[in-house]
């Protein structure tokens, strides 16, 4: 299967009309522009330059891994996350779970705990255990199978991981392996960060959402009944292994959910990538292997670049949360698990874009293009009907991006591919957006 | 109150006889000496050199803090924990909770959460809130009062801290303050490490145990029913404020418990300090302010020196756990809260010293001196009668110092003030010690 991005042929032209528009919000005497702005990514990430060489992100076909045991295997594409002593590779490709050396080189100690869920275990647990142990008899693998879904991303479920680790007598030189989607990755990562004050871990994401976003960058954690991801740690894995073959079993709704994050990268920092998506969104939904591999690689490059510059989210990294403040409110208010994360982010992105437009920071062509691509990706563009203005406000008040009582948001500003992270916006615009998208 | 160590006059002579002895264990054909050994601390930490200037530990009367608001206040002694960007000061002295600027300079953001317990709150919570807020009207202080005792150092109790933080809408720029003993410090620190993936925190230890050991160095965490401190994080505070006046309300048993850790520093790396303790143990028990301040300062210097060299416990730092592997087994096996931590450590220290002697690594004068000083400190020198050999073995098997299945221990080796951290010892000696101190 030719899932490697190298073989992709990509057009670099765009067609969407950009009509300058007199904005309603511009007439309201808004506050001055915010102080932190993030220009779109450098041209080295343009969609025509597949072979990328940058100071912080290294990726491309030149970085191949030798596979002595299986000379016919396709070597993975590697994206490096550059974090000094905590740097690690992201391996991307088809059939990587069959290339056991990729995992085994990152296993520390003699005991491994695979954390997975009831849906993924029947599909990939045996394969993962095989990859960890073949030709490696010194390693023993335990596993813990959690219930599936965002509503189980809580302390009670996390305790099952600790219970299993302790009962299995895993010591400091053990390795935790997250096998599953974003919920499993976040929980396993936080368990690894906390168990004996920190053991090594490996991410094997099996959803688009996890492969393009949540498995990369070290954000781990669990939900609290009053808010998402309120308890957790910044904790980096030893490696991320993205076997694109695992997407063959992904439900369509999960597929679409992951694309919300792919679209995000284009909007906040990579206009060329967004334009590529506008041409290829149906190919992605149809799981065209080459298109998927390219979208995953390009997303990981964007994420790695941001995380390398701002690991602990003091500024730039927050921009990865476009649409997430509104989206988290939907997930929390509507009940974890009713909507998938990417579905909530999609509706949240439309709200953030609407607010950006009301502030006069973007023109209406961007609003239209965002709505169009999300609809084509089969994603919702409005929050659930049960959400009210006051629900949004009370949940957003405990968002992690609140500082000294001020809610900071990621908003688009300027041409496509540019955004700001700011608390310096007209409160009227936020209220207007909330009223436009939810009942009072 | 002249609690500052500067005024202390200390004798530097020692009297304890050291009789060379033909050791039983030497006749058994033991395995070769272990590879990692730790000589006693450098002479700059000798008991006659009060004014210390070292590359990693800075302390002494020259580092005084100006107190514009209260010119009569005694300036604190400052011990600096040198951890690069995570460095912080330990302030030591009497009446420091009345010197509000010491705390206020380390408060980040506008909201503070004080975590304390039912015993400490009536004594020092109002005073702490006053110190945080006087002349500082922008800061609001919330508090959460936990039940008192090691048996509450668990996930259920930790969740009360998160609940309170979220309900109070504490954001990323908040500060958590631990007001209490080691349990409160460990739990508040872990809560601060995990809340919103990390907020700032301050330690105000109110027991000798916390002042000389647990509040310094960033080890935080909670217990699991199967073992102590198995879930946690390395997370450094912004500062540690040791107001020695808080010891005036400390029960005698808690007082003695803290001395177990003071004695530990002497045994593992500071023979001069041990010899000073042999002269001053009754003064410490009687809460002589100058003796206490000196013991706290000297203990913090030793701890800061070790932590600065090995923050994440890859080797040297483990030596601070002399007696703790046996001690944790006692705490876990006997039930958290039955014995105080220092009481279990005292019995565990006797066991570690006994095993060191059986291995032929120390002479019997050290065994005798350790037993003597612990008895004078009113500490137990044997484990509870209900502990069995198999209880010790099964609990010690999940100790954090197990690596790849091998239990590493801190044992004394050589003259007073020298120890090793090793898994390279005769298992017979461990078995003999367990049999000598517990029923089979």
């Amino acid at each position: 299967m030719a899932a490697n991005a190298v073989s992709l042929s990509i057009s670099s032209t765009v067609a969407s009309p950009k009509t300058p528009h007199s904005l309603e919000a511009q007439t309201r005497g808004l506050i001055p522009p915010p102080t932190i702005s993030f220009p779109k990514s450098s041209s080295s990430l343009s969609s025509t330059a597949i072979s990328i060489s940058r100071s912080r992100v290294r990726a491309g076909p030149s970085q191949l891994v030798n596979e002595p045991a299986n000379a016919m295997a396709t070597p993975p594409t590697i994206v490096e996350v550059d974090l000094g002593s905590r740097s690690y590779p992201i391996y991307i490709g088809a059939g990587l779970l069959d290339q056991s050396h990729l995992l085994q080189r990152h296993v520390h100690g003699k005991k491994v705990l695979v954390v997975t869920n009831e849906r993924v275990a029947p599909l990939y647990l045996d394969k993962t255990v095989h990859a960890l142990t073949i030709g490696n008899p010194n390693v023993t693998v335990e596993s813990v199978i959690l219930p599936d879904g965002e509503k189980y991303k809580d302390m009670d479920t996390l305790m099952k991981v600790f219970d299993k680790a302790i009962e299995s007598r895993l010591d400091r030189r053990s390795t935790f392996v997250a096998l599953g989607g974003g919920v499993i990755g976040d929980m396993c990562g936080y368990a690894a960060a906390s168990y004996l004050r920190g053991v090594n871990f490996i991410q094997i994401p099996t959803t688009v959402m996890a492969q393009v976003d949540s498995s990369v960058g070290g954000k781990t954690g669990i939900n609290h009944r009053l808010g998402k991801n309120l308890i957790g740690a910044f904790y980096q894995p030893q490696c991320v292994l993205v076997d694109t073959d695992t997407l063959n079993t992904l439900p369509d709704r999960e597929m679409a959910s992951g694309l919300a994050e792919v679209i995000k990268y284009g909007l906040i920092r990579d206009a060329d990538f967004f334009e590529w998506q506008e041409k290829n969104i149906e190919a992605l939904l149809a799981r065209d292997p080459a298109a998927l591999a390219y979208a995953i690689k390009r997303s990981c490059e964007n994420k790695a670049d941001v995380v390398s510059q701002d690991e602990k989210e003091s500024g730039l990294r927050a921009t990865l949360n476009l649409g997430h403040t509104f989206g988290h409110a939907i997930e929390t208010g509507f009940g974890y698990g009713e909507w998938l994360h990417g579905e909530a982010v999609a509706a949240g992105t439309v709200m953030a874009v609407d607010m950006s437009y009301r502030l006069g920071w973007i023109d209406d062509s961007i609003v239209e293009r965002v709505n169009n691509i999300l609809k084509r990706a089969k994603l919702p563009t409005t929050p659930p009907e049960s959400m009210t203005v006051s629900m949004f406000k009370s949940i957003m008040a405990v968002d992690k991006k609140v500082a000294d009582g001020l809610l900071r948001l990621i908003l688009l500003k300027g041409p496509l591919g540019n955004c700001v992270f700011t608390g310096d916006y007209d409160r009227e615009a936020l209220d207007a957006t909330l009223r436009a998208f939810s009942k009072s």
Side-chain angles (χ1 to χ4, degrees), chain A:
Chain A
M1 178 181 288
N4 202 303
V6 187
S7 60
L8 264 185
S9 168
I10 299 157
S11 164
S12 61
T13 57
V14 202
S16 180
K18 291 181 183 173
T19 315
H21 194 82
S22 171
L23 299 177
E24 177 198 21
Q26 283 178 334
T27 67
R28 285 206 215 119
L30 298 177
I31 46 181
T35 47
I36 313 172
S37 67
F38 301 99
K40 66 179 177 179
S41 63
S42 66
S43 60
S44 62
L45 268 178
S46 85
S47 60
T48 49
I50 302 298
S51 191
I52 289 165
S53 173
R54 318 215 310 169
S55 61
R56 291 183 169 278
V57 179
R58 301 198 306 277
S62 61
Q63 290 195 313
L64 305 183
V65 174
N66 292 323
E67 167 55 290
N70 181 359
M72 298 301 290
T74 308
T77 298
I78 303 177
V79 177
E80 188 80 20
V81 185
D82 183 359
L83 290 166
S85 63
R86 296 184 307 289
S87 297
Y88 56 92
I90 307 166
Y91 303 115
I92 303 167
L96 298 193
L97 274 175
D98 297 318
Q99 299 183 39
S100 57
H101 66 287
L102 292 176
L103 281 180
Q104 291 188 12
R105 68 174 65 163
H106 296 287
V107 168
H108 292 227
K110 295 174 182 168
K111 285 193 175 174
V112 175
L113 178 65
V114 178
V115 179
T116 186
N117 69 31
E118 290 167 347
R119 196 163 66 175
V120 175
L123 299 169
Y124 301 111
L125 180 54
D126 285 352
K127 193 169 187 133
T128 301
V129 173
H130 182 76
L132 288 163
T133 54
I134 185 170
N136 198 14
N138 288 330
V139 164
T140 59
V141 180
E142 305 283 344
S143 62
V144 57
I145 300 173
L146 305 177
D148 178 32
E150 183 86 26
K151 63 173 169 264
Y152 298 105
K153 189 176 163 182
D154 61 12
M155 193 59 84
D156 287 346
T157 311
L158 185 74
M159 288 303 286
K160 295 186 200 302
V161 181
F162 293 127
D163 291 348
K164 182 71 184 182
I166 296 167
E167 286 160 11
S168 306
R169 303 202 168 178
L170 265 68
D171 61 38
R172 276 187 178 165
R173 289 206 12 98
S174 306
T175 299
F176 283 24
V177 174
L179 174 68
V183 171
I184 287 294
D186 282 9
M187 291 184 72
C188 178
Y190 184 45
S194 300
Y195 183 62
L196 309 184
R197 299 198 186 94
V199 296
N200 293 308
F201 89 110
I202 290 172
Q203 292 266 19
I204 306 180
T206 61
T207 65
V208 175
M209 172 61 66
Q211 291 175 354
V212 301
D213 190 10
S214 61
S215 71
V216 176
K219 278 194 180 180
T220 72
I222 57 172
N223 300 327
H224 185 276
R225 72 188 147 76
L226 298 176
K228 259 192 74 106
N229 298 327
L230 296 183
I231 300 166
F234 288 99
Y235 198 69
Q236 303 295 341
Q238 302 297 305
C239 77
V240 180
L241 185 133
V242 176
D243 184 339
T244 53
D245 285 352
T246 58
L247 301 182
N248 294 336
T249 51
L250 192 67
D252 288 345
R253 207 177 140 195
E254 294 266 7
M255 186 76 218
S257 173
L259 295 182
E261 302 286 3
V262 174
I263 291 165
K264 168 193 79 180
Y265 292 115
L267 290 174
I268 62 169
R269 68 193 312 269
D270 192 347
D272 291 336
F273 188 27
F274 186 82
E275 287 159 5
W276 178 88
Q277 295 162 23
E278 290 185 314
K279 296 183 189 308
N280 291 280
I281 194 77
E282 280 78 19
L284 291 170
L285 283 174
R287 302 173 201 226
D288 176 89
L292 273 177
Y294 177 72
I296 293 165
K297 170 176 161 288
R298 182 86 172 221
S299 297
C300 286
E301 285 165 357
N302 272 294
K303 178 126 189 196
D305 192 29
V306 169
V307 169
S308 297
Q309 293 177 56
D310 179 23
E311 183 182 5
K312 299 282 178 70
E313 194 166 311
S314 47
L316 178 64
R317 183 167 182 168
T319 63
L320 296 173
N321 287 304
L322 174 70
H324 284 57
T325 299
F326 298 106
H328 284 175
I330 293 168
E331 288 179 272
T332 304
F334 199 49
Y336 296 132
E338 297 299 317
W339 273 24
L340 297 175
H341 176 62
E343 293 170 339
V345 166
T349 297
V350 173
M351 295 175 76
V353 169
D354 175 84
M355 184 173 155
S356 305
Y357 175 77
R358 286 176 194 272
L359 289 164
W361 292 355
I362 55 172
D363 68 42
D364 63 353
S365 71
I366 295 180
V367 178
E368 189 183 323
R369 290 170 76 180
V370 170
N371 271 275
N372 283 345
I373 198 167
L374 291 172
K375 282 175 183 158
R376 286 168 63 197
K378 319 286 189 198
L379 287 163
T381 54
T382 53
E385 287 189 1
S386 60
M387 289 295 294
T388 64
V389 171
S390 65
M391 283 167 75
F392 271 109
K393 285 192 172 177
S394 68
I395 300 169
M396 289 162 73
V398 292
D399 187 272
K400 288 189 291 303
K401 287 179 288 299
V402 173
D404 283 341
L406 180 68
L407 175 61
R408 295 172 298 172
L409 290 168
I410 297 91
L411 298 166
L412 301 189
K413 187 163 192 175
L416 185 70
N418 292 276
C419 69
V420 291
F421 171 47
T422 184
D424 195 3
Y425 52 79
D426 187 347
R427 294 291 167 281
E428 291 281 322
L430 175 57
D431 286 347
T433 293
L434 292 179
R435 284 195 305 269
F437 284 85
S438 56
K439 60 194 179 196
S440 55

